[in-house]
Amino acid sequence: MKLHHLVFTFFFFVGCNHTTTSKPETESEPEAAAAPQTEAPPAKNEEATPPTVQTLPSPEALNAIQKQAAPKPADGTVTLFLLQDLAFVADTSQIPTGFYFRGVMQNGIFIPDDKGLQGNATSPIGGTPGWVELHTGKFLPAMTARAPAKPFIEGRMTPAGFFPNQAKLK
């Protein structure tokens, strides 16, 4: 098999790695294509104001959010998994802000209890759709080329953190 066939087959089955970019960091990302406008164009002397666009986190920003997480609590520790920050913290019996799961750490992975999603928060508009795998606490965008590992919860990653779409685990 020729090398270019092998490379094509690899990218076809594995997908693209969106964690690196070939652009310099100082160059800004292009804005999303705007929907066709139905309003009348502004007068020639008036300054046209651009529409407000919700900035979605880039793959680099998603990696930065996930790298900010503190180390996981020790095995056997009653643990809270804070969805907004994707952080595992030891349960101090204080009710945290935002959405969270309560569970225990076993062999370095988080095992949620039967109570399911707890807490509440105001979810911002927009974001990158995807899911968070509870055992590892990692967010994966919906464009990922693999199925999520159970248990997981679907939602959106925004610049303010992860916000679930539903209260049930899958």
Side-chain angles (χ1 to χ4, degrees):
M1 183 182 293
K2 293 186 179 182
L3 180 61
H4 68 278
H5 286 109
L6 182 62
V7 171
F8 174 77
T9 305
F10 174 79
F11 282 111
F12 179 76
F13 286 103
V14 175
C16 295
N17 181 355
H18 295 283
T19 60
T20 59
T21 179
S22 60
K23 295 185 213 169
E25 288 186 21
T26 58
E27 193 171 318
S28 63
E29 293 288 318
E31 291 186 10
Q37 294 183 0
T38 56
E39 299 177 2
K44 289 184 180 184
N45 292 338
E46 293 179 12
E47 195 68 32
T49 57
T52 304
V53 176
Q54 172 70 29
T55 305
L56 303 179
S58 67
E60 292 82 12
L62 293 175
N63 283 339
I65 290 169
Q66 292 181 355
K67 286 180 183 176
Q68 291 172 1
K72 295 178 184 176
D75 284 351
T77 304
V78 177
T79 303
L80 299 178
F81 177 47
L82 309 176
L83 286 179
Q84 189 169 350
D85 302 328
L86 298 181
F88 295 102
V89 297
D91 188 359
T92 60
S93 299
Q94 294 179 354
I95 298 175
T97 58
F99 292 108
Y100 64 96
F101 286 95
R102 182 172 274 124
V104 66
M105 296 303 291
Q106 290 182 359
N107 297 324
I109 63 171
F110 178 73
I111 308 297
D113 65 11
D114 295 335
K115 294 181 183 174
L117 183 66
Q118 299 178 43
N120 57 36
T122 302
S123 179
I125 296 173
T128 303
W131 62 85
V132 170
E133 296 175 344
L134 268 61
H135 288 319
T136 62
K138 297 290 182 187
F139 171 78
L140 296 161
M143 65 186 161
T144 302
R146 72 167 179 84
K150 291 184 178 186
F152 68 95
I153 188 161
E154 293 177 333
R156 296 173 290 110
M157 179 61 76
T158 71
F162 180 79
F163 292 89
N165 289 344
Q166 79 280 340
K168 301 266 184 191
L169 286 176
K170 292 189 175 186

